[in-house]
Amino acid sequence: MKKPIYVALLSFVVLSCKTKEVEIKEITFENRYKFSEDIENSVQGLEPLNPDYQDSSVDYSYVVNHEKALEHWDLATNAQPKEHKQKQLDSVRNLYKVNDAKDYILSQADHEKIIMINEMHYNATHRIFTETLLKDLYAKGYKNLCLEALNNDGSDTLLNALRYSKYEFGTYLWNPQFSNMIREALKIGFKIHAYETKGDIGGEVREIDQANNMAKIIEENPDEKFLIHCGSGHALEGNIKFFGGVALAGRLDQMTGIDPFTIDQVFYSEKSKRENSNIFSQAFNFENYSILFDKNSKPFGYKRGKAWMDLVVFHPITTYINKRPNWVFERGNKDVEINMDKINLEFPVMVLAFNSNEELQKAIPIDITEVEDKDAGCHLGLPKGNYNIVVTNKSESILFKKDVL
């Protein structure tokens, strides 16, 4: 930036649909997130099924580019269109009835001590659904939220004291929806626990160690209930072909004698294209978080071979508003427009919104979006509050404050 030319122009910036001028300043800012160009360069020329697409899908999830996260995961798995005939779709509709997922889970929660719900690390909506359960589960005695993604190095102690996530607490927490879920849990009153194994250990040893860690947490809180938010297959019960034959859920049952209520939101997850989606999503076009009951009022669960989960939650297909996923503007979040006309930085830029009472250089942002050029538009999904807004490219950054009323 040529400061003699631009400093005067950067004195004020117009925000949102209201004509309100706010003072801004240049800052030194370490941006931990990757721009789209860099993510795309990391997988340039790769064929489908390359595992690097798994990493790039997660990178896109960190910057809340859900559309590209889904697209890259479909490349990682080589997802293909599923051509279902009309009679097949009609048959599914005749076999099952759609019910509200949250209502059913809460009805079962009274009879359970451990609820396990899984996620895919590239899909922010899995964190959002867990967040929608928190307040009601807490009222039913679930005081402990146990997170696989949280580093088991004392980060949980720091997190419970600090009340917000920092980059050092765990890589997957870099996704704003994950850290917003944690903020909400702490606000409600949950105690957060880490149970991940220490060190770079996988397979059977990891499952055993995770189960031992969880069993200890349960032993230390014998009269309380537990919500475990874990990665994909760790919530599987029964016998499976990996993890040494038994995943975390099954091992926890073996160690404690407590059969967890296991919830899947992974194996029938949203795809980048509707035609790639599972037959249930195509048949019902779910408008809300949903479950299916058969004609005997038995809920639809996940089953493959000798492994299972008790319940499958189906998500609505994401729609896009002002180039952002619709769910960033839900749950009390407002659509906050940032006028980019007077941002005199080289584009593309990244726009990050931080709580004003959280450490700017270390806290996980409330929302992030990348803006290609001045005319592209910039919309953030923010609840009421006071924010520090950072606009940054690869070399320069500016800061201004924003109040969302």
Side-chain angles (χ1 to χ4, degrees):
M1 181 186 293
K2 298 179 180 179
K3 293 183 180 179
I5 298 175
Y6 290 123
V7 168
L9 294 177
L10 287 172
S11 296
F12 297 93
V13 63
V14 179
L15 299 181
S16 75
C17 56
K18 299 179 181 179
T19 306
K20 183 179 179 181
E21 293 183 337
V22 178
E23 185 176 3
I24 70 176
K25 61 181 180 180
E26 300 172 33
I27 62 168
T28 298
F29 179 75
E30 181 185 1
N31 185 16
R32 312 287 187 104
Y33 296 94
K34 296 179 181 179
F35 280 86
S36 297
E37 179 185 16
D38 298 319
I39 299 174
E40 290 298 327
N41 285 341
S42 71
V43 293
Q44 186 175 9
L46 298 182
E47 296 295 325
L49 291 176
N50 191 300
D52 286 354
Y53 281 117
Q54 297 182 29
D55 295 333
S56 60
S57 67
V58 173
D59 286 335
Y60 271 124
S61 79
Y62 292 157
V63 292
V64 200
N65 191 335
H66 187 65
E67 190 170 18
K68 295 296 289 187
L70 294 180
E71 177 185 310
H72 277 231
W73 187 261
D74 280 1
L75 287 168
T77 58
N78 197 23
Q80 298 295 320
K82 298 174 174 60
E83 298 179 0
H84 301 293
K85 296 180 179 179
Q86 189 60 47
K87 65 178 182 179
Q88 292 174 308
L89 298 174
D90 291 340
S91 176
V92 168
R93 295 188 191 104
N94 289 331
L95 287 172
Y96 295 99
K97 180 181 178 181
V98 177
N99 285 264
D100 184 83
K102 181 179 176 180
D103 287 347
Y104 180 77
I105 291 169
L106 294 176
S107 73
Q108 297 302 299
D110 291 326
H111 316 296
E112 305 291 343
K113 186 175 178 70
I114 301 173
I115 294 177
M116 292 186 68
I117 184 166
N118 65 2
E119 71 156 41
M120 285 301 288
H121 301 313
Y122 69 91
N123 195 325
T125 68
H126 297 162
R127 292 92 187 239
I128 291 173
F129 178 66
T130 297
E131 181 183 333
T132 68
L133 300 172
L134 293 176
K135 185 175 181 179
D136 292 309
L137 285 179
Y138 187 84
K140 290 179 177 290
Y142 292 82
K143 310 296 186 183
N144 302 276
L145 176 60
C146 307
L147 302 173
E148 174 190 307
L150 182 59
N151 292 339
N152 193 4
D153 57 0
S155 291
D156 50 359
T157 300
L158 295 173
L159 178 59
N160 284 303
L162 191 61
R163 319 300 288 175
Y164 64 86
S165 301
K166 297 169 70 173
Y167 296 110
E168 64 197 64
F169 292 166
T171 307
Y172 295 127
L173 274 56
W174 291 24
N175 167 247
Q177 283 66 47
F178 205 139
S179 282
N180 289 342
M181 177 187 76
I182 291 172
R183 288 185 181 92
E184 180 65 15
L186 290 167
K187 179 181 177 182
I188 291 168
F190 277 89
K191 185 176 181 180
I192 309 294
H193 300 275
Y195 67 88
E196 178 61 279
T197 188
K198 297 179 180 179
D200 187 15
I201 301 172
E204 181 179 7
V205 175
R206 183 186 180 200
E207 300 305 295
I208 293 172
D209 197 38
Q210 284 187 340
N212 280 324
N213 293 337
M214 268 307 312
K216 182 179 179 181
I217 295 169
I218 294 167
E219 183 181 2
E220 292 172 348
N221 302 274
D223 300 323
E224 297 183 7
K225 296 186 176 185
F226 304 85
L227 175 62
I228 302 174
H229 185 93
C230 65
S232 182
H234 301 288
L236 283 166
E237 302 182 72
N239 296 320
I240 59 178
K241 294 181 179 180
F242 44 94
F243 297 149
V246 184
L248 170 62
R251 294 185 187 277
L252 195 56
D253 188 355
Q254 293 171 357
M255 289 181 182
T256 65
I258 303 168
D259 180 14
F261 180 50
T262 49
I263 302 171
D264 169 58
Q265 50 179 350
V266 166
F267 292 103
Y268 295 90
S269 215
E270 176 183 11
K271 301 296 184 182
S272 63
K273 298 178 181 178
R274 179 174 174 77
E275 58 266 28
N276 292 355
S277 298
N278 61 82
I279 190 170
F280 300 103
S281 294
Q282 292 191 31
F284 291 106
N285 191 25
F286 300 106
E287 296 181 358
N288 302 297
Y289 300 111
S290 301
I291 62 170
L292 297 177
F293 280 169
D294 65 17
K295 292 185 177 180
N296 296 318
S297 297
K298 182 179 179 181
F300 180 81
Y302 176 80
K303 185 172 177 59
R304 179 168 294 179
K306 296 181 179 180
W308 73 88
M309 278 181 273
D310 296 317
L311 185 71
V312 171
V313 172
F314 297 91
H315 287 222
I317 299 297
T318 300
T319 57
Y320 294 88
I321 303 168
N322 294 318
K323 301 179 182 179
R324 303 298 312 283
N326 62 293
W327 33 260
V328 302
F329 306 121
E330 297 175 348
R331 305 174 316 287
N333 291 349
K334 295 191 173 184
D335 183 345
V336 179
E337 183 177 2
I338 308 297
N339 189 323
M340 307 302 290
D341 288 344
K342 296 186 179 180
I343 301 298
N344 289 287
L345 297 177
E346 183 178 349
F347 283 72
V349 297
M350 201 172 288
V351 183
L352 307 93
F354 297 88
N355 269 335
S356 61
N357 61 348
E358 296 178 1
E359 193 172 358
L360 184 68
Q361 300 287 357
K362 296 184 178 181
I364 306 301
I366 304 298
D367 195 17
I368 309 172
T369 190
E370 184 178 334
V371 183
E372 297 175 1
D373 55 62
K374 287 182 182 292
D375 299 324
C378 176
H379 294 259
L380 298 172
L382 301 175
K384 293 180 181 179
N386 309 113
Y387 298 93
N388 289 317
I389 307 296
V390 173
V391 183
T392 185
N393 56 27
K394 294 181 181 181
S395 58
E396 300 165 305
S397 305
I398 60 173
L399 168 72
F400 51 83
K401 296 185 180 297
K402 173 64 180 174
D403 297 331
V404 178
L405 306 176

